[in-house]
Amino acid sequence: MKYVVETKNLTKSFGKEQAVQSLDMKIAKGEIYGFLGPNGAGKTTTIRMLLGLMKPTSGSIQVFQQDLKKSRISILSKVGSLVENPSYYPHLTARENLEAWRKILGAPKSRITDVLAIVRLSDVANKKVKGFSLGMKQRLGIAAALLNNPELLILDEPTNGLDPSGIIEIRELIKQLPQSHGMTVLISSHLLSEIDQLATTVGVLTKGKLIFQDSIEAMRKLAKQNISLRVSDQDEAHRLLLAKGIQTDYQKDRLILSEFTDEEIANAIQFLVQKQIAIYRVEEEKRSLEDIFLQMTREDQVG
Amino acid sequence: MLAILRSEIFKFRKANIWALIFVGPVIAIFAGLVDSGELPVNSWVYTVLMMNLVYAVLFLPLITGVFASIVCRYEHQAGGWKQLLALPVTKGRVFLAKYLLLVSLVFLMQLLYLGAIYLVGNMQGFAEPFPLEIIWKSVLGGWIATFPLIALQLWLAIWFKSFAAPFAVNVIFTIPTILALNSEKLAPFYPWAQPYLMMNIGGKVDAMFFVPWDQLLIVVGGSFILFFLGGYFLFNRKAF
């Protein structure tokens, strides 16, 4: 497998504190990689290292199968990025800001008009950016990231400060980039709901450690299904099932069966019916990705 | 490299403060006009000496710092450094582009100063022809003497986010120039005094500049290397 981004043992320490620990990040071509983690987990530090804005304490970074240390310039000419809070020159208009960066990237001038249209800033193109709202600045940042039609787009918390309709707009925009432009996207967020609707692969970072990295489907599978039972005699049912070797979680008004196959559930219910216990409700309780995410990050804090 | 420089020029031009390069020469014009009367020696030379006192002792070293702060200010304001350095550039080239821009600005200002001298002379109606060769030496020498000061100011402007801090340091080093110039022993070694000394018409006519070569190489050259490398390495080590 050839990866667009591959880090090995990537570590960054600030004094004693390890902000990023032995990160092995792998992003395949055409993926939308959701980089998830609570605030302060080390996402931005990782992204800064990927862009060469910060030197790793140890470990290696390969982008487009080239070593970042050796080929930084040729790599960055194919990367577009938005890091943390929006960056801009307050004394320039939106168009002039893009022009200052375009001169370095060598993109055609017409591209400025294009990217302004993509992020819907055409109307305010000639206004000074210092008067922009946070959302508008964020869009300008996304426009800047798209300026060189990059092969790898790195967006650090891109929906920060956007209103709900802006979030949806940007999400739709990012979603279609891999197909329409062959881009690979790395998008970081502390909100799972954002990544959930966007990402094809997920990496979860807590306290500088990558505790999960796989497809979004694999993460969804982790959303173990629980079956809750409401029966006529809960104590009796609990005892009977236990006697048969079926462990249930006894709760106030229901019994919870977790991690059972369809067949096992069927058998358990049949058994209860035979024992003259009336079944009122059999319900599936799906855990949301949010729960898994919270559990993952919490487990790590305990351990 | 050229692309980075073009971007730097663009950003500076749009800052609408380039008019600052006129301030020094205009002040110098007034200084040149005020002191008329019975002029001793060559009236051109006398006028230039008067104008230099105002322009080269304080104004020239101070304005380099202001320019340096400006070209870093808009990078500090809202994450400009980060955005710029995530582009396909090296820090070394960005540093060099900013330095070259500053050096070019001071060169433009020196040319304006040369024009200012010419203007004053014509307004005063000097009989002698414009001594272009001597004055050109003075203007060029003064420019070269600012190289180390520009490097130090750029270093400080990158280091401090605030606009005022590098300027304060600049003032602290520039003011003693007045004292240093009064000491024949100290003046040749004080970097901030070099612009004035190199612009100060006098010395041997056949020499390239108005200060001896060894002073130029050791004091100006030495402090340039020190300040330029200092700023260069600081910028390279700094994380954005």
Side-chain angles (χ1 to χ4, degrees), chain A residues 19-181:
Chain A
V20 174
Q21 296 176 38
S22 313
L23 204 71
D24 293 319
M25 183 189 235
K26 294 182 174 78
I27 306 177
K29 191 170 161 51
E31 298 279 359
I32 297 180
Y33 186 98
F35 197 26
L36 261 176
N39 291 327
K43 300 186 301 277
T44 298
T45 305
T46 306
I47 287 174
R48 288 202 159 149
M49 288 193 282
L50 291 180
L51 292 167
L53 291 173
M54 206 178 245
K55 289 194 177 79
T57 308
S58 63
S60 71
I61 300 170
Q62 296 236 311
V63 184
F64 309 125
Q65 279 118 53
Q66 289 171 294
D67 190 84
L68 183 71
K69 247 188 266 169
K70 285 181 201 139
S71 328
R72 185 168 171 270
I73 296 226
S74 82
I75 288 171
L76 288 184
S77 63
K78 295 185 281 182
V79 174
S81 64
L82 167 72
V83 183
E84 236 181 345
N85 28 44
S87 307
Y88 55 92
Y89 298 115
H91 70 292
L92 302 181
T93 66
R95 184 178 290 279
E96 286 165 353
N97 262 282
L98 293 169
E99 175 62 16
W101 297 315
R102 187 205 65 84
K103 281 184 190 304
I104 294 174
L105 290 165
K109 265 203 160 144
S110 61
R111 185 72 187 150
I112 291 179
T113 312
D114 295 349
V115 294
L116 281 170
I118 289 174
V119 300
R120 292 175 197 265
L121 282 179
S122 306
D123 294 345
V124 289
N126 296 317
K127 293 213 167 98
K128 288 233 160 73
V129 176
K130 63 180 157 200
F132 277 21
S133 69
L134 182 58
M136 287 156 82
K137 287 171 185 165
Q138 198 76 9
R139 284 155 191 261
L140 178 66
I142 294 169
L146 292 170
L147 205 50
N148 59 339
N149 215 340
E151 287 177 36
L152 172 64
L153 184 65
I154 296 179
L155 301 172
D156 189 12
E157 309 262 359
T159 52
N160 247 354
L162 293 181
D163 50 28
S165 72
I167 292 177
I168 294 168
E169 227 171 76
I170 295 300
R171 190 188 294 148
E172 292 310 311
L173 168 70
I174 295 168
K175 226 177 200 170
Q176 50 88 30
L177 286 174
Q179 297 111 318
S180 61
H181 293 83

Side-chain angles (χ1 to χ4, degrees), chain B residues 64-192:
Chain B
T64 62
V66 174
F67 284 143
S69 293
I70 290 167
V71 302
C72 292
R73 191 170 117 93
Y74 40 70
E75 306 289 352
H76 283 307
Q77 273 174 329
W81 288 121
K82 197 172 60 187
Q83 188 81 26
L84 176 59
L85 295 171
L87 296 174
V89 298
T90 62
K91 281 181 171 176
R93 283 182 205 164
V94 169
F95 185 83
L96 198 62
K98 294 230 179 251
Y99 185 78
L100 288 177
L101 171 66
L102 292 172
V103 164
S104 311
L105 285 171
V106 174
F107 186 68
L108 275 179
M109 198 170 73
Q110 290 292 86
L111 286 184
L112 287 171
Y113 181 64
L114 186 132
I117 295 169
Y118 184 75
L119 194 71
V120 168
N122 274 295
M123 286 166 91
Q124 305 264 42
F126 291 159
E128 301 92 341
F130 183 60
L132 182 65
E133 202 188 331
I134 297 173
I135 289 171
W136 180 243
K137 261 189 211 180
S138 161
V139 164
L140 203 65
W143 178 54
I144 291 168
T146 60
F147 288 5
L149 308 188
I150 294 171
L152 178 70
Q153 287 305 315
L154 185 56
W155 179 358
L156 294 172
I158 289 169
W159 184 253
F160 295 109
K161 269 199 170 184
S162 96
F163 196 79
F167 189 73
V169 175
N170 199 8
V171 170
I172 288 166
F173 280 113
T174 304
I175 300 293
T177 303
I178 302 167
L179 303 173
L181 285 173
N182 282 319
S183 153
E184 271 184 33
K185 269 187 201 156
L186 188 61
F189 299 103
Y190 195 60
W192 282 262

Side-chain angles (χ1 to χ4, degrees), chain A residues 218-273:
Chain A
M219 192 172 183
R220 289 215 178 92
K221 265 183 206 152
L222 278 179
K224 292 173 283 184
Q225 287 157 11
N226 289 342
I227 300 291
S228 84
L229 283 185
R230 275 185 61 202
V231 295
S232 52
D233 188 343
Q234 192 169 318
D235 291 334
E236 180 67 9
H238 180 66
R239 209 163 29 243
L240 284 167
L241 286 173
L242 202 60
K244 204 172 180 277
I246 300 170
Q247 185 81 46
T248 61
D249 183 10
Y250 187 96
Q251 289 193 354
K252 208 169 125 201
D253 56 348
R254 61 210 165 131
L255 293 170
I256 307 285
L257 294 89
S258 40
E259 288 181 84
F260 285 82
T261 63
D262 290 351
E263 210 170 309
E264 285 168 331
I265 297 286
N267 287 338
I269 289 171
Q270 197 184 10
F271 174 68
L272 289 179
V273 172

